[in-house]
């Protein structure tokens, strides 16, 4: 990718096919999507439309069956498992609907985990972890286990874990799906703040209300991108 | 490194989050590791001990090995001296024999196991004296002053650690002998010896090239010389020696045998023991396999419930190697957390092992076992390796999963791993290994039981026996020995507490004294048939059969005293079995047989002497050299005609008395005849028999422990997998119940899974058991590898334990409420 290329994510002709016995199921079909650095993109659509699959491929958790995917300077088709893991660790942050915190690790240890895999020294890890927790205002609960937190608090911890390593892109899969409106709004505010600070954000959601936070909304149906709404320009027009 | 430490920390957290399973795993691993440590200690102690002399690995011994014969370690002394004077392969070559040595000092008579050794033995072993000196060249000559060296142990215990003991005279085998030294603490050689005297070599007093005086050889190899080369040299020297001696005596050297040089320990540990050690090593490996399978199972089960955690780790950047490392380390931690309980188990049980070992007679001095740093290190290393191996399967399985699916879908957990099939396969293997081990243990236990049920035709717990030696220093002549025997018997018979007393040559009244070759009379009674028969034989006094309580004899007994010379009135008493075999249609009383003399030397062997059969005695039984053969004695001779050096006193107590209550009386009676003669092996034949079986008993108990451990581990495995299976199938159970399945049907469903594993495991196990027991029969004892009782018992035990292991989880499954189950994701 040339240095002046504005796109941090370039998905071209992405297909994802699941094979069950002799039946082929197309989860994604001919998806083209480019995302710029610093953009906040929401992927929306009904259940089963392929939005989470698209997020997994974009987040290097899964491989497309067909198509090209360039993530920053990496042509992902040729990456080995170890390299994909390294990119996830250094350049990507994930937030999941069901928080996905490790139950027997404390809040601090959960947030610290990506830094351990990055082999950062303990003192530095502590400093970075506390900074991330401070950002989501969870420092006071750092020694608690996930089971001792509310859903909203758990998701804030998950956000802290996603941002602790300073990722280039954050992927959020229905981050408010398991939260009440108040906690959902709070998480969205944090995400927006991060985006305002320069983070690129790709979020899957089916809640219309949160589409307004995005610069662009990618609407999907049956594994295809049906429409991309540029809300920034809309806002600009307005 | 930092990552590994984090992994270790995480592993401990994971263990702490499942306290019950973790404690169970740690304890079972602990027992496994402890057993492994103990086996290492025993194996090393028996097969490769650290002997208490410098560079003990250089010490070898020599035997003759023929094409068909067993190895013979008894080498004619003439040849040994020829080797000593001419060999170049060894730093030194020496000789030794071990046997009873009587000591009388300060009014105490004590019997020791002692060594008759070549004067250079201590120098060859590089063993230093604690006090005084060792033997000098020439000490083995007939006219040299008598010398003895004491072990540190008896110097301390029996000589009051007398610092001026060197130079003092004590009676050794009734001869005045000077103590010249005390060896350093811990020194023994060759097996249990506690004192040493020079093995007198006096060619002039022996028949020329007489093969009968023999010794065993110990030598220290020169650096760089192999055992094979040393053997070749000794073989060549043997050929040279045979060529140099008169033809008449050449037969005294086994020219058809090869000289074999082997390490001292390997040749001095009998083959059965070595084979059992090897077999047990294989068994321990199998037990560790079961333990490993259990850890693996536990980790698989654990991994399946931790898929989400592993997926998160993967999502935040852990690569495949890091995930595998984490799981492998967890396996190693589970396994190595058993090291501390394992060491405690080893320390706790090694004393029991020592107690079992020391129950046996005449065990080598190096059979003393203790927990060492090496044994702990070895057990720990194997434990960690076991854990790592156990972690490989779950690690590989988990690392290949599609993590994105797991992160998105809570319901995809264990099914993604296909752990059920793997778990069940491991359990089937555990059952089959347990089955094989239990069958082997069962066979050995049956063998023990069959020995213990053998009838010796006399009440083996009703007679007290004691051994004593009449040495040439005081009892060289037939008359002197007979005087001792007859005086002792007369005194014993006068005691009110004693019902009857007799003397025999039979050690502890159990073991065959010697074989006799004999010829039956021709039909007309004028000569003897050419065919030679052989029979177990014994030398006894007249009341021998009364003491045993085997009933009256037909004909007459031996006379109480001999009135004529030893070569006249030669008489024998034969047994009922002997009569049935050789005189089936007539009374043998009054008939004559020709018996070759007991003396096996080549010159005298040709002489046959005629004996008259004067009585028929009931059958009594003796052991052969090998424990599994028990035969009837055939011929009894009068001990007074040829009293041997070692005799066994036998007394039957008066009605109602415990035989052991006669011990003081027996000792006093012997002391009254000769206070310098110690009694030893004082016990009933029944107790002697238990000692004889102690080795086999120990092996059987050790096998039982190992197989019990295997059974327990399998039980835990089946229990764990059944429980885990319910966790996985909880929704299925809920759905089944919702559509009408009864609790009993659910119970049966879960139980059936356990029974299917059992059936397959038993099939494989029986095949493995047959293979193992056939090997066991070849390697050790004469067991029946197809013993149906053993197989049926093992199948029953495994069936019951499998049912027990599966019943609790099955009943738990049956109690699950449908609404609760269908809610579970």
């Amino acid at each position: 990718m040339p240095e002046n290329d504005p796109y941090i994510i370039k998905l071209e002709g992405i297909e994802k096919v699941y094979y069950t016995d002799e039946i082929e199921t197309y989860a994604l079909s001919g998806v083209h999507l480019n995302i710029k650095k610093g953009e906040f993109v929401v992927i929306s659509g009904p259940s089963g439309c392929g939005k989470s699959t698209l997020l997994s491929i974009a987040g290097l958790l899964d491989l497309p069956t067909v198509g090209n995917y360039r993530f920053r300077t990496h042509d992902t088709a040729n990456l080995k498992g170890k390299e994909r893991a390294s990119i996830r660790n250094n350049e990507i942050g994930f937030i999941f609907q069901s928080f996905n915190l490790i139950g027997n690790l404390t809040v601090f240890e959960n947030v610290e985990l990506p830094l351990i895999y990055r082999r950062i020294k303990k003192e530095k890890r502590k400093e970075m972890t506390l900074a991330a927790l401070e950002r989501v205002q969870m420092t006071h609960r750092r020694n608690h286990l996930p089971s001792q937190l509310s859903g909203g608090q758990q998701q804030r911890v998950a956000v802290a874990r996603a941002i602790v390593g300073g990722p280039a892109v954050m992927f959020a899969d229905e981050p408010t799906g398991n939260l009440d409106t108040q906690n959902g709004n709070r998480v969205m505010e944090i995400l927006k703040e991060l985006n305002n600070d320069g983070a690129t954000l790709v979020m899957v959601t089916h809640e219309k209300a949160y589409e307004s936070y995005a610069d662009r909304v990618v609407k999907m149906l049956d594994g295809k991108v049906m429409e991309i709404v540029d809300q920034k320009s809309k806002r600009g027009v307005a | 490194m930092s990552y590994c430490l984090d992994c270790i920390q995480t592993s401990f957290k994971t263990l702490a989050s499942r306290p019950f399973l973790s404690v169970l795993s740690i304890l079972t691993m602990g027992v496994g590791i402890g057993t492994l440590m103990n086996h290492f200690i025993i194996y090393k102690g028996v097969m490769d001990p650290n002997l208490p002399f410098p560079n003990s690995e250089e010490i070898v011994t020599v035997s003759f090995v023929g094409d068909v014969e067993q190895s013979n370690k008894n080498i004619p002394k003439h040849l040994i001296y020829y080797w000593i004077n001419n060999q170049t392969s060894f730093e030194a070559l020496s000789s030794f024999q071990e046997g009873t040595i009587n000591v009388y000092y300060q009014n105490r008579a004590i019997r020791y196991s002692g060594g008759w050794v070549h004067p250079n033995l201590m120098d060859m072993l590089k063993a230093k004296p604690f006090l005084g000196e060792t033997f000098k060249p020439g000490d083995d000559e007939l006219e040299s002053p008598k010398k003895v060296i004491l072990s540190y142990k008896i110097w301390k215990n029996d000589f009051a650690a007398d610092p001026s003991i060197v130079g003092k005279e004590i009676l050794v085998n009734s001869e005045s002998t000077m103590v010249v030294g005390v060896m350093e603490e811990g020194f023994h050689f060759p097996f249990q010896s506690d004192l040493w005297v020079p093995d007198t070599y006096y060619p002039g007093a022996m028949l020329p090239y007489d093969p009968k005086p023999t010794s065993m050889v110990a030598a220290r190899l020169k650096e760089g010389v192999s055992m094979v080369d040393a053997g070749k040299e000794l073989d060549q020297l043997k050929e040279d020696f045979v060529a140099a001696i008169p033809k008449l005596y050449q037969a005294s050297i086994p020219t058809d045998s090869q000289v074999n040089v082997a390490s001292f320990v390997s040749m001095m540990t009998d083959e059965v023991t070595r084979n059992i050690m090897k077999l047990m090593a294989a068994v321990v490996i199998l037990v560790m396999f079961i333990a490993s399978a259990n850890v693996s199972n536990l980790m698989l089960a654990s991994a399946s419930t931790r898929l989400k955690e592993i997926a998160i780790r993967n999502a935040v950047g852990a690569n495949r190697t890091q995930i595998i490392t984490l799981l492998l380390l967890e396996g190693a931690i589970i396994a190595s957390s058993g090291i501390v309980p394992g060491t405690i188990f080893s320390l706790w049980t090694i004393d029991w092992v020592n107690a079992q070992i020391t129950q046996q007679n005449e065990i080598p001095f190096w059979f003393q076992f203790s927990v060492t740093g090496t044994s702990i290190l070895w057990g720990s290393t194997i434990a960690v390796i076991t854990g790592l191996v156990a972690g490989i399967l779950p690690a590989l399985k988990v690392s290949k999963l599609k993590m994105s699916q797991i992160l998105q879908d809570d319901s995809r957990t264990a099914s993604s791993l296909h752990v059920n099939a793997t778990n069940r396969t491991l359990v089937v293997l555990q059952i089959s290994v347990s089955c094989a081990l239990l069958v082997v243990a069962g066979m050995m236990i049956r063998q023990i039981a069959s020995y213990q049920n053998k009838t010796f035709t006399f009440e083996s717990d009703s007679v007290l026996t004691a051994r004593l030696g009449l040495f040439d220093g005081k009892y060289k002549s037939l008359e002197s020995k007979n005087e001792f025997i007859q005086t002792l018997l007369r005194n014993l018979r006068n005691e009110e507490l004693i019902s009857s007393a007799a003397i025999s040559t039979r050690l502890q009244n159990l073991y065959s004294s010697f074989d006799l070759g004999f010829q039956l009379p021709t039909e007309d009674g004028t000569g003897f048939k050419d065919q030679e028969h052989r029979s177990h034989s014994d030398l006894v006094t007249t009341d021998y059969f009364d003491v045993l309580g085997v009933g009256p004899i037909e004909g007459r007994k031996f006379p109480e005293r001999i009135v004529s010379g030893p070569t006249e009135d030669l008489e024998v008493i034969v047994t009922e079995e002997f009569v049935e075999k050789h005189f089936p249609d007539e009374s043998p009383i009054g008939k004559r047989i020709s018996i070759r003399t007991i003396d096996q030397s080549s010159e005298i062997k040709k002489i046959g002497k005629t004996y008259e059969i004067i009585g028929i005695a009931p059958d009594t039984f003796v052991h052969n050299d090998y424990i599994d053969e028990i035969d009837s004695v055939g011929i009894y001779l009068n001990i007074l005609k040829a009293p041997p050096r070692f005799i066994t006193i036998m007394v039957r107590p008066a009605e109602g008395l415990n035989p052991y209550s006669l011990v003081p009386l027996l000792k006093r009676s012997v002391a009254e005849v000769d206070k310098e003669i110690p009694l030893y092996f004082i016990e009933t034949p029944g107790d002697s028999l238990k000692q004889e079986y102690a080795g086999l008993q120990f092996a059987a108990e050790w096998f039982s422990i190992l197989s019990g451990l295997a059974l327990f581990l399998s039980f835990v495995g089946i229990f764990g997998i059944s429980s885990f299976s319910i966790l996985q199938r909880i929704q299925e159970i809920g759905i089944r119940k919702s559509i009408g399945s009864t609790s009993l049907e659910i119970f049966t469903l879960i139980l059936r899974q356990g029974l299917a594993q059992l059936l397959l495991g038993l099939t494989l196990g029986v095949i493995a058991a047959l293979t193992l027991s056939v090997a066991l029969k070849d390697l050790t004892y004469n067991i029946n590898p197809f013993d149906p009782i053993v197989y049926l018992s093992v199948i029953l035990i495994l069936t019951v334990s499998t049912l027990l292991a599966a019943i609790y989880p099955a009943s738990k499954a049956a109690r699950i409420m449908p609404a609760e189950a269908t809610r579970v994701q």
Side-chain angles (χ1 to χ4, degrees), chain A residues 104-193:
Chain A
N104 58 354
L105 299 185
T106 62
V107 163
F108 183 91
E109 288 164 338
N110 267 290
V111 176
E112 186 191 27
L113 197 59
L115 306 179
I116 290 174
Y117 292 120
R118 206 183 283 187
R119 298 176 191 248
I120 290 173
K121 287 191 175 173
K122 194 165 185 170
E123 280 307 307
K124 181 70 180 166
R125 285 203 314 252
K126 188 176 177 186
E127 185 188 317
M128 292 169 75
T129 306
L130 288 174
L133 283 170
E134 187 57 43
R135 182 132 198 203
V136 297
Q137 297 174 356
M138 285 300 291
T139 316
H140 63 297
R141 306 301 293 268
R142 64 179 180 274
N143 293 325
H144 287 74
L145 290 170
S147 57
Q148 295 168 315
L149 305 179
S150 69
Q153 286 173 323
Q154 287 191 49
Q155 195 60 300
R156 277 153 61 197
V157 174
V159 171
R161 185 179 63 192
I163 63 170
V164 70
V169 183
M170 279 198 294
F171 294 97
D173 190 356
E174 304 269 13
T176 57
N178 282 1
L179 303 177
D180 57 32
T181 309
Q182 191 184 350
N183 277 309
N185 289 341
R186 188 158 183 193
V187 167
M188 285 309 297
E189 288 301 328
I190 293 170
L191 293 178
K192 189 62 196 168
E193 275 175 38

Side-chain angles (χ1 to χ4, degrees), chain A:
Chain A
M1 178 186 282
E3 278 194 14
N4 56 359
D5 191 335
Y7 297 111
I8 198 166
I9 287 169
K10 288 178 92 173
L11 294 153
E12 291 173 5
I14 298 294
E15 291 186 3
K16 181 70 184 177
V17 186
Y18 292 108
Y19 296 92
T20 313
D21 295 326
E22 292 176 357
I23 302 165
E24 289 182 359
T25 308
Y26 277 76
L28 292 175
S29 184
V31 173
H32 298 269
L33 181 64
N34 295 339
I35 296 172
K36 288 179 190 167
K37 188 178 177 193
E39 228 182 342
F40 189 157
V41 175
V42 162
I43 303 170
S44 71
S47 181
C49 71
K51 52 189 188 296
S52 288
T53 306
L54 180 61
L55 197 79
S56 292
I57 289 171
L60 298 180
L61 286 171
D62 206 349
L63 289 166
T65 312
V66 176
N68 296 320
Y69 172 33
R70 179 172 283 277
F71 177 80
R72 301 185 81 194
T73 55
H74 314 286
D75 181 357
T76 63
N78 301 320
L79 292 176
K80 292 176 183 169
K82 199 170 182 177
E83 292 164 330
R84 298 167 70 81
S86 173
I87 294 169
R88 285 200 301 272
N89 184 234
N90 288 288
E91 301 174 42
I92 293 173
F94 284 102
I95 304 161
F96 301 96
Q97 178 180 354
S98 51
F99 323 133
N100 283 343
L101 297 175
I102 296 174
N104 58 354
L105 299 185
T106 62
V107 163
F108 183 91
E109 288 164 338
N110 267 290
V111 176
E112 186 191 27
L113 197 59
L115 306 179
I116 290 174
Y117 292 120
R118 206 183 283 187
R119 298 176 191 248
I120 290 173
K121 287 191 175 173
K122 194 165 185 170
E123 280 307 307
K124 181 70 180 166
R125 285 203 314 252
K126 188 176 177 186
E127 185 188 317
M128 292 169 75
T129 306
L130 288 174
L133 283 170
E134 187 57 43
R135 182 132 198 203
V136 297
Q137 297 174 356
M138 285 300 291
T139 316
H140 63 297
R141 306 301 293 268
R142 64 179 180 274
N143 293 325
H144 287 74
L145 290 170
S147 57
Q148 295 168 315
L149 305 179
S150 69
Q153 286 173 323
Q154 287 191 49
Q155 195 60 300
R156 277 153 61 197
V157 174
V159 171
R161 185 179 63 192
I163 63 170
V164 70
V169 183
M170 279 198 294
F171 294 97
D173 190 356
E174 304 269 13
T176 57
N178 282 1
L179 303 177
D180 57 32
T181 309
Q182 191 184 350
N183 277 309
N185 289 341
R186 188 158 183 193
V187 167
M188 285 309 297
E189 288 301 328
I190 293 170
L191 293 178
K192 189 62 196 168
E193 275 175 38
L194 291 167
N195 176 240
N196 290 339
D197 290 349
T200 308
L201 211 71
V202 182
M203 182 176 86
V204 164
T205 184
H206 62 263
E207 291 185 54
K208 290 264 180 199
Y210 295 135
E211 288 178 6
S212 61
Y213 285 84
D215 298 328
R216 284 194 294 158
V217 179
V218 178
K219 299 196 170 180
M220 292 187 69
L221 186 67
D222 295 338
K224 292 176 183 164
V225 175
M226 305 305 290
E227 185 188 5
I228 299 177
V229 179
D230 188 339
Q231 303 199 128
K232 204 171 181 179
S233 52
K234 266 189 192 174
R235 279 199 291 269
V237 171

